[in-house]
Amino acid sequence: MKKIILIAFFILLFSSVVSANEQILSSDMEITYEEALNSRNGIMPLSDNTAETESYYDQLTAYEKEYYDGLEAYAESMMNGTNNYKFTISMTIDKGLSSAADVYAGVWEYLGADISVFAFRPVYALMYLDKPQYFWFDINNSSAGYGFEGYYPSTGLVKNFYINLKPKASTGSYLPDCYTSEAQVKADYIGILNKADEIISNVPEGSTDWGKLNCYMNWFKENCHYNTDLTTASKHAYLPTSALLYGTDDVNAPVCEGYSEALKILCNLSGIKAMCTETFYEENGTTTGHKWNLININNKFYHCDPTWFDSYTSINSYRYFLTGSNNMANYDKTQNHTITYQMDFYAPEISATDYLNDMGIDGYNVLNIDGNTVINKTDNVTLLKIISNISNGTGKDVNGDGKINIADVVKMQQLMFK
C-alpha cells in the first residue's frame, strides 16, 4: 500500500541574505514524502473527534481547502509528470521577529499546521481519498519546495509564502512507474471514465444506493481477481486503473487500493456518499495495511470492502457489504478493519448494526432465495413465485415478522429499488 503520511516536525535550516532593512530568504526549502514519513516513529492514533461527512475536504483548514481547490483545477495539467503546482499565500505576521526561524514559526501558527503537514495533507485528501481518478500523481515521487519571496523585519510583512509541488529530483517525474508518457496517462484516464460510465449504465433503472452498490461489487467479482504476487505486480495494482481496466491481468490486477479507489470513483459518479479509508497494522514484525470503503447511507456509515467481497465464491461475500462494526469485528478476527487515519484525518462513527438490520431485514442469508452467490432482482421474483404457488421452493421471512408472504417481497423490493 501507499505509505501512511504522518505529522512531522522538522528543524528547518536555511540561509538568508541580510541587509540593513531587509531580509530575503533566498533558499527554497524542500521536503519529500519519505522525509515526512520517517520523521516520526509509530502510527498516529485516532482523533477523539469524528468525521461528519464522507468528504476529507471537509476536514481541511481554510488554507488547505484553497490549496486543494487550486490543485484540483490544475490536476489535468500534471498529466505529463513534470508540471509544478505552486500555491501562494500573502500574509502579515507579528512585528519584531528577529530570526528567520521565528518567521517560519509564525507561518506555522498562521497556517494552523506544520509546513510538512500543509505540504502533503491536501494532496493526499484530493488524489488518494476524495478523487482517486487523478491516478497519475505518485506521492512517493513528489517533493514540496517552500519558502518566502520576501521578508521585511521592519514591518513584519511576509510576502508570498509558497508551496511548490513538483517531482522529486531523483525521479524527475511524479508519474507512477507504470507510465512513461502523457499519452498513456490520458488514454487510461479516458478509459476508466468510459468504463465507469458503462458499469453505471448497466445498473437497473430506479435502483437504490444498495442496489447500485450491489451491481458494482458483483462487477468487481466477475471482472477482477486479486493480485497475489506483489513481487511481479506493476504499479497499476495500486491504482484504480487496475480494477477498471486490467482486472484479470496477472501483472496489473488490483490489490485492495485498486478495488477501493475504483469503487470510490463509481460512487462519486453515481451520487453515492462514499469514502476511502485505510488501516495500518503489524503482521509478523512488518507494518502492512488495508484499504476499503465506508458508505454513508441515511446519515450512517457502514463498512463496504470490495476486496474481501471478491475473495469469496459463496453468498458469504455479503459479510463485507454495508456491514456494521459489530459484525465486522466478528467476521474479521485479525482486525484488518481497525481504522487509522493518515495526516491527522479522523474517522466517522460506524453504525454498530448492518445496513440490512437497520432496514428491518435479518441478514443477507434471508435474501438469497434462489440459493446462488448473488442477491438481486431474481431472488425477489423467485420469492414472489413461491408465495403465489407458481413455482416450488422454500420462501424466507425477509422482514422478520414470522410469516412468509407478499410483505417479504415488498421489503426486498424496497431494499433494491426506489
Side-chain angles (χ1 to χ4, degrees), residues 30-263:
E30 188 169 341
I31 182 174
T32 66
Y33 175 82
E34 289 84 356
E35 289 170 337
L37 175 70
N38 293 331
S39 67
R40 185 184 178 106
N41 295 321
I43 295 173
M44 179 64 63
L46 286 176
S47 167
D48 292 334
N49 295 319
T50 55
E52 298 297 326
T53 75
E54 69 286 347
S55 171
Y56 287 90
Y57 177 87
D58 292 338
Q59 298 188 40
L60 299 176
T61 66
Y63 281 122
E64 286 174 328
K65 287 178 180 178
E66 289 185 23
Y67 184 3
Y68 178 115
D69 290 340
L71 181 59
E72 181 173 13
Y74 194 72
E76 291 190 19
S77 299
M78 303 171 81
M79 284 184 175
N80 62 8
T82 58
N83 281 355
N84 296 355
Y85 171 65
K86 189 172 184 179
F87 177 75
T88 302
I89 302 174
S90 296
M91 61 179 68
T92 302
I93 57 179
D94 292 342
K95 296 180 181 180
L97 298 178
S98 59
S99 71
D102 287 342
V103 176
Y104 273 105
V107 173
W108 299 344
E109 184 176 353
Y110 194 96
L111 293 175
D114 180 83
I115 292 174
S116 63
V117 175
F118 186 78
F120 290 112
R121 197 168 87 127
V123 179
Y124 205 86
L126 172 63
M127 293 182 162
Y128 293 98
L129 298 173
D130 283 345
K131 298 180 181 177
Q133 65 266 31
Y134 303 129
F135 59 83
W136 50 87
F137 186 90
D138 186 342
I139 204 164
N140 295 286
N141 292 337
S142 70
S143 66
Y146 58 92
F148 306 122
E149 295 178 347
Y151 163 51
Y152 302 87
S154 59
T155 62
L157 177 66
V158 173
K159 288 186 176 179
N160 296 338
F161 168 79
Y162 63 86
I163 295 287
N164 187 23
L165 195 63
K166 56 188 178 180
K168 193 163 56 176
S170 61
T171 62
S173 170
Y174 40 65
L175 295 183
D177 60 16
C178 51
Y179 292 102
T180 58
S181 72
E182 183 177 5
Q184 291 175 332
V185 172
K186 286 183 176 180
D188 275 6
Y189 181 52
I190 294 169
I192 64 170
L193 294 181
N194 286 341
K195 179 57 67 175
D197 285 342
E198 176 188 320
I199 296 167
I200 293 169
S201 68
N202 286 323
V203 174
E205 185 176 355
S207 291
T208 59
D209 284 351
W210 188 97
K212 295 174 186 177
L213 287 164
N214 188 42
C215 290
Y216 303 157
M217 299 284 272
N218 281 293
W219 186 91
F220 291 132
K221 181 183 284 290
E222 294 170 3
N223 294 276
C224 299
H225 67 72
Y226 186 82
N227 198 325
T228 58
D229 189 356
L230 297 185
T231 61
T232 61
S234 80
K235 189 68 175 183
H236 279 296
Y238 304 90
L239 306 176
T241 52
S242 61
L244 292 171
L245 300 180
Y246 308 110
T248 58
D249 182 274
D250 288 339
V251 174
N252 298 315
V255 295
C256 59
E257 285 182 312
Y259 284 98
S260 173
E261 292 175 2
L263 180 58

Side-chain angles (χ1 to χ4, degrees), residues 354-365:
D354 296 355
Y355 179 69
L356 291 180
N357 301 142
D358 293 343
M359 283 287 291
I361 298 173
D362 188 21
Y364 58 89
N365 284 309

